[in-house]
Amino acid sequence: MLGKTAGGLFWMARLLERAENTSRMIETGQRIALTRAGSGADDWLSVLQAAAVAYGYQQKHAEVLPELAIDWMLRDPDNPSSVMAVITQARHNARLVRTALTHEAWEAVNSFWMLLKEALARKVATRDLPKVLSLIRERNALVRGAILGTMLRNEIYDFIRIGTFIERADNTARILDVKYYVLLPSAAAVGSRLDNVQWDTILRSVSGEGGYRLTIGPDVTPMGIAQFLILDKRMPRSLNFCCAKLRDNLNYLATDYDLRLPCHQQADTLCRRFMTHDVAAIFDYGLHEYVQEVLGHLGKLSHQIEIDYRFYG
Amino acid sequence: MKPHRDRLVATISIAQAPGQGKHDPMDMFDEMQGQNGQIRSPYAKFDAWLSEEDAARLRAKSREAEDLFRLTGITFNVYGRSEAEERLIPFDIIPRIISGREWQRLERGIEQRVRAINAFLHDIYHRQEILRAGRVPQEMIANNVAFLPQMIGMMPPGGVYTHITGIDLVRTGPDDFFVLEDNARTPSGVSYMLENRETMLRMFPELFSRNQVRPVSDYPRNLRRSLAASAPAACEGTPTVAVLTPGIYNSAYYEHAFLADKMGIELVEGHDLRIVDGRVAMRTTRGYQPIDVLYRRVDDDFLDPLNFNPESALGVPGIMDVYRAGGITIANAPGTGISDDKAIYSYMPEIVEFYTGERPILQNVPTWRCNEKESLDYVLAHLSELVVKEVHGSGGYGMLIGPAASKKELKEFERKLRARPGNYIAQPTLSLSTVPVFTKSGLAPRHVDLRPFVLMSPEGINVTPGGLTRVAMKKGSLVVNSSQGGGTKDTWVLED
């Protein structure tokens, strides 16, 4: 496979995953706004931060307003990480690697882009927001389904999965990074209504409420959340799960090519973090520092994969 | 003569349809309804089907077709427009139908023409017998930018120059076909031929059980086989074939990706390639891997910045040196443009006879070469009846359709002709055949042309039955170019 193609597949998958995560963040922001009084400016700011688009927003707008934040994340042409921009880029990558995709997979990406362009042609009214957000999730599910159901399990598939899991791990780590302070045990009023809302928000932003109840139990606690989002082996958005999948897919390539590269070593090191730490130890070490390190490690690994598999020559 | 060539990227290539719209309708040959309104036999079964169809259903089908095309992404970028603009080429649901008997003659004529073109190219880059024999004037070659000195004495692998050719044909009567233009560089449009058929099969399966239509779907397989059979001496084992595209913003990118996909080979750009150990190699996830046959959709000028245009970022520095050393097959061979040049076109009957020893089966459109004094006089005196084309133009730009031109335009063109007569050829306006298209108010006749696609390898010549029918969507219009609003139709060759 061409190095360029591997890179196109990797980025297509990352960007698709990013669009879905952003839509989930918007949904969470909207949910908080509906369940509490006040302007919610702080909440929207943390949503923008978790989606890694706060800096650009603040360059353009002095004040954090819900409708501006939503528009920024969905379609503002000045935001290169808006859902519209990201899906346009994902489609561009899909076109670039058209020969590596089945026509079902390509058509799913292409129709996603066509529908989104229509849905985001003008500012989305609040009452239409749920419809637009579910369009994004549904269309993403369709793309994933087409890939899952029609693509050979070969190197092409491996690069797609690697892109998906690196982006997802990055997203979960960012949410933890932005919200770590509400999980710290030093918070004054443990179990207050405010905290409960914040903790729910974290779970909701990774679609994890139901999974949490089944795995950890009915009581939402900082320790439980960290356990669930960092170490849980079955939660598909936990750091442990994503990094394990990332390593698996890199290993399939190593087997297929009969060649281990520096990125494989790095992935092993990354995964070891989640084997050797129990959640109390993470809090002892410092949740913030821990998550920061994971984010740094993910960035380095992504770069190493680009080099090892010659994405850019 | 310093002809002007501005072909930065291969545009959806386009023929100019000469002729005029002011004929008495009785003169006009309609391929479905003939000259007297009686349904011609290839269309009999189709007509019977059509008469049972209701217009609302057909309208719905027509919209459905458009949605299908949009979903598949069969779009083209209009050259010079913003990169984001992707347009659909209008698709008309009424097929263009050719009988098996009609096709048989066309096929023989096309084969003969392609054999002659290939022999001409070999000769012109070697002994130049045809010039010595005085059948084509020396200056036609000497002053022609399409002639590539780098190809002199170079024998392409297997002796094949034109692996893929598109021959543009027009029709004026039941048995009157003319070659309008040969496309021996990087002809495009074949993806439309294939997708048009797929779309028709999906929308009107019943039509294909009523009519025995010869399939076109094996074109990609034949193309791959044909390219592989043309592998160079340096190739060991199964040849590695790749498609070279100028990139995602090229107007025909869809087609490049489509063909690579259907052939199951890599689609590469210049920056994916480099010379490694005397071979052209592509950067894969496992390192550099040599390519044996490169189906390039990049023009000669841009192929190799070391040997041609030094500004080109689309090609591969040094590929010509590898080519000359027998390390790679470039398809089509560089320099084939000398054979489809409009100035050379007028000599095609002589060229066919010279190399095949046979009378040409397909007619040329009579052509006045304006660099000849008597011809120029004639052309100037009859400007309002003629079609005048730039010798090196393409895409339907820079041409004059006399009968449709205003007084002012005629005057302007007269000035141009007098200033640079050698830059122009002129042809009579033919009464081009029509085929009905489906419009809001029912069927309406529109002018068409036909581009069959021809594959050539050391193993022989293969003509796909049918080709791409382009149709002028506007009433009376003769311009079928996709860049100027022309559409396409599925083309059927019947099993008689």
Side-chain angles (χ1 to χ4, degrees):
Chain A
M1 180 181 6
L2 292 178
K4 175 188 69 188
T5 305
L9 291 162
F10 174 84
W11 278 106
M12 178 192 78
R14 276 199 82 151
L15 294 165
L16 285 164
E17 181 68 25
R18 188 171 298 175
E20 183 176 333
N21 292 334
T22 303
S23 82
R24 204 177 273 113
M25 301 301 288
I26 297 171
E27 201 168 274
T28 313
Q30 190 68 353
R31 173 87 190 176
I32 315 172
L34 295 177
T35 51
R36 61 185 290 179
S39 76
D42 285 354
D43 292 315
W44 278 108
L45 182 61
S46 76
V47 166
L48 289 168
Q49 282 166 344
V53 296
Y55 180 77
Y57 179 91
Q58 285 167 325
Q59 297 289 303
K60 182 163 176 173
H61 303 292
E63 210 181 334
V64 178
L65 294 175
E67 61 274 26
L68 286 181
I70 291 169
D71 197 57
W72 180 256
M73 287 197 278
L74 280 181
R75 56 182 286 279
D76 194 313
D78 291 333
N79 177 12
S81 297
S82 72
V83 173
M84 191 68 243
V86 159
I87 291 303
T88 304
Q89 268 305 307
R91 175 186 181 260
H92 177 89
N93 276 287
R95 251 187 114 205
L96 204 64
V97 302
R98 176 64 193 83
T99 54
L101 300 173
T102 57
H103 82 256
E104 279 99 329
W106 155 250
E107 286 182 8
V109 175
N110 196 32
S111 62
F112 185 1
W113 172 77
M114 290 192 298
L115 287 169
L116 195 67
K117 230 173 33 160
E118 219 175 279
L120 296 182
R122 69 206 67 69
K123 205 165 202 159
V124 180
T126 312
R127 70 186 138 80
D128 295 332
L129 189 60
K131 210 171 66 194
V132 171
L133 294 177
S134 68
L135 171 94
I136 296 167
R137 301 264 279 279
E138 277 169 22
R139 284 287 143 179
N140 229 320
L142 209 63
V143 172
R144 190 158 37 232
I147 290 171
L148 223 65
T150 64
M151 305 263 306
L152 291 177
R153 297 310 193 258
N154 58 7
E155 51 183 345
I156 294 173
Y157 190 78
D158 298 337
F159 281 110
I160 290 177
R161 300 287 278 177
I162 288 166
T164 301
F165 287 112
I166 224 167
E167 180 70 23
R168 193 180 289 174
D170 189 69
N171 179 64
T172 301
R174 261 186 291 110
I175 291 171
L176 286 167
D177 191 41
V178 172
K179 291 286 189 183
Y180 77 94
Y181 60 91
V182 301
L183 294 173
L184 295 181
S186 61
V190 175
S192 74
R193 189 182 155 272
L194 180 66
D195 276 344
N196 278 330
V197 168
Q198 290 281 9
W199 296 340
D200 278 344
T201 305
I202 296 177
L203 287 178
R204 204 170 270 283
S205 59
V206 291
S207 293
E209 315 96 293
Y212 183 93
R213 276 195 298 277
L214 283 173
T215 316
I216 312 283
D219 295 327
V220 179
T221 65
M223 213 62 127
I225 289 177
Q227 170 77 34
F228 190 54
L229 292 194
I230 298 174
L231 297 180
D232 195 274
K233 284 197 178 87
R234 287 153 299 182
M235 161 59 181
R237 316 196 87 82
S238 80
L239 295 181
N240 189 6
F241 182 93
C242 294
C243 293
K245 285 288 179 188
L246 186 53
R247 184 183 54 176
D248 287 350
N249 282 281
L250 281 168
N251 284 343
Y252 300 149
L253 286 175
T255 310
D256 199 9
Y257 290 20
D258 197 14
L259 183 66
R260 278 184 69 81
L261 295 158
C263 64
H264 297 103
Q265 184 62 45
Q266 284 189 21
D268 287 348
T269 315
L270 178 63
C271 286
R272 232 172 281 134
R273 282 178 176 280
F274 310 110
M275 267 161 51
T276 55
H277 287 81
D278 66 66
V279 73
I282 293 175
F283 276 90
D284 288 345
Y285 180 81
L287 180 60
H288 183 57
E289 290 73 12
Y290 180 87
V291 171
Q292 284 280 321
E293 281 171 23
V294 172
L295 276 170
H297 203 141
L298 284 168
K300 247 179 70 191
L301 176 56
S302 179
H303 185 61
Q304 192 62 46
I305 293 168
E306 288 175 5
I307 295 170
D308 289 350
Y309 290 107
R310 303 161 210 266
F311 288 4
Y312 309 113
Chain B
M1 184 168 78
K2 189 160 182 310
H4 152 90
R5 281 187 74 209
D6 180 18
R7 301 191 354 139
L8 187 64
V9 291
T11 51
I12 289 274
S13 179
I14 310 194
Q16 298 82 30
Q20 60 162 300
K22 290 169 190 163
H23 271 278
D24 179 349
M26 290 308 288
D27 287 355
M28 209 102 82
F29 173 64
D30 187 87
E31 298 188 16
M32 183 164 170
Q33 307 195 319
Q35 251 135 336
N36 48 14
Q38 194 145 33
I39 298 298
R40 293 180 62 250
S41 67
Y43 285 85
K45 286 179 185 163
F46 176 76
D47 184 63
W49 171 85
L50 192 64
S51 61
E52 296 159 14
E53 284 298 308
D54 103 347
R57 177 174 178 264
L58 288 179
R59 266 196 297 277
K61 285 284 183 188
S62 188
R63 278 192 302 273
E64 191 186 313
E66 197 180 309
D67 291 344
L68 275 176
F69 279 104
R70 224 172 259 291
L71 181 64
T72 331
I74 316 183
T75 52
F76 73 103
N77 308 330
V78 180
Y79 180 55
R81 306 246 177 173
S82 88
E83 61 187 43
E85 184 164 359
E86 293 171 25
R87 278 215 231 153
L88 278 187
I89 296 185
F91 170 71
D92 179 67
I93 58 172
I94 309 293
R96 196 250 189 105
I97 310 177
I98 297 168
S99 74
R101 188 191 56 82
E102 288 167 344
W103 178 253
Q104 217 172 22
R105 198 179 132 247
L106 284 182
E107 190 179 23
R108 279 195 300 123
I110 291 165
E111 265 192 55
Q112 179 194 48
R113 193 144 174 132
V114 169
R115 260 188 290 129
I117 287 173
N118 212 68
F120 170 71
L121 284 165
H122 180 264
D123 183 35
I124 217 71
Y125 287 119
H126 291 85
R127 295 181 50 82
Q128 303 196 328
E129 303 279 5
I130 197 164
L131 304 185
R132 292 167 203 232
R135 304 293 288 271
V136 171
Q138 201 90 40
E139 65 270 19
M140 278 291 111
I141 304 301
N143 295 330
N144 200 322
V145 281
F147 180 78
L148 235 53
Q150 289 90 338
M151 286 299 289
I152 295 173
M154 161 79 205
M155 181 69 162
V160 179
Y161 286 84
T162 57
H163 305 80
I164 302 106
T165 318
I167 306 287
D168 289 351
L169 301 169
V170 292
R171 187 176 197 180
T172 57
D175 293 310
D176 306 304
F177 287 90
F178 294 88
V179 176
L180 192 61
E181 189 171 287
D182 304 289
N183 296 277
R185 303 174 201 208
T186 54
S188 62
V190 78
S191 59
Y192 294 91
M193 170 184 88
L194 295 165
E195 291 286 30
N196 288 352
R197 177 63 54 80
E198 282 309 308
T199 303
M200 289 296 279
L201 280 165
R202 257 161 101 165
M203 293 200 308
F204 305 111
E206 72 276 17
L207 269 176
F208 291 87
S209 47
R210 290 194 188 194
N211 289 278
Q212 289 246 48
V213 181
R214 291 184 60 186
V216 294
S217 56
D218 45 7
Y219 177 84
R221 205 170 22 247
N222 291 337
L223 175 59
R224 182 173 180 172
R225 190 176 304 149
S226 180
L227 290 168
S230 310
C235 170
E236 294 161 1
T238 313
T240 301
V241 186
V243 178
L244 175 65
T245 174
I248 196 159
Y249 298 120
N250 182 264
S251 60
Y253 178 78
Y254 171 78
E255 176 157 303
H256 308 157
F258 175 91
L259 288 173
D261 182 32
K262 296 285 174 193
M263 287 192 278
I265 62 178
E266 294 293 357
L267 176 65
V268 299
E269 291 174 50
H271 60 79
D272 295 315
L273 305 180
R274 120 176 0 163
I275 313 295
V276 179
D277 300 331
R279 303 291 310 274
V280 175
M282 55 184 168
R283 191 182 76 250
T284 77
T285 52
R286 305 171 196 237
Y288 280 88
Q289 185 196 339
I291 293 174
D292 299 303
V293 183
L294 193 61
Y295 174 22
R296 49 86 177 221
R297 297 290 295 257
V298 168
D299 286 354
D300 286 355
D301 276 0
F302 295 91
L303 204 48
D304 183 350
L306 295 183
N307 282 278
F308 305 115
N309 182 348
E311 304 283 294
S312 172
L314 304 176
V316 191
I319 190 174
M320 277 304 283
D321 305 319
V322 176
Y323 184 55
R324 272 190 290 264
I328 192 165
T329 298
I330 300 175
N332 289 352
T336 53
I338 190 67
S339 67
D340 69 8
D341 192 76
K342 288 197 187 69
I344 294 296
Y345 168 86
S346 60
Y347 296 94
M348 276 310 287
E350 285 95 328
I351 289 173
V352 171
E353 268 196 66
F354 188 79
Y355 296 108
T356 64
E358 304 158 5
R359 306 259 314 145
I361 300 168
L362 293 172
Q363 291 171 268
N364 246 25
V365 180
T367 302
W368 288 274
R369 305 163 188 138
C370 300
N371 60 342
E372 293 166 7
K373 173 90 178 61
E374 312 90 86
S375 294
L376 180 64
D377 291 345
Y378 178 89
V379 169
L380 289 172
H382 297 83
L383 205 52
S384 66
E385 301 156 23
L386 299 172
V387 174
V388 187
K389 299 177 184 177
E390 261 185 69
V391 173
H392 301 284
S394 79
Y397 298 104
M399 67 187 279
L400 173 86
I401 300 177
S406 67
K407 285 232 162 63
K408 190 167 155 263
E409 286 167 326
L410 289 173
K411 269 264 165 300
E412 218 165 273
F413 231 86
E414 189 181 327
R415 244 195 328 274
K416 286 192 197 173
L417 267 168
R418 286 192 196 282
R420 295 167 68 198
N423 201 31
Y424 297 94
I425 55 163
Q427 293 170 336
T429 52
L430 302 180
S431 178
L432 284 199
S433 66
T434 57
V435 174
V437 296
F438 184 73
T439 71
K440 283 191 195 94
S441 44
L443 297 193
R446 294 289 184 271
H447 294 295
V448 291
D449 79 349
L450 175 65
R451 173 179 292 180
F453 293 93
V454 193
L455 299 176
M456 186 176 190
S457 79
E459 290 171 356
I461 293 180
N462 173 296
V463 191
T464 302
L468 178 66
T469 291
R470 292 181 300 180
V471 52
M473 297 303 277
K474 277 186 239 131
K475 189 175 176 190
S477 168
L478 295 157
V479 182
V480 298
N481 301 357
S482 49
S483 58
Q484 300 188 22
T488 67
K489 282 171 169 294
D490 188 18
T491 310
W492 295 2
V493 171
L494 297 182
E495 207 87 72
D496 282 350

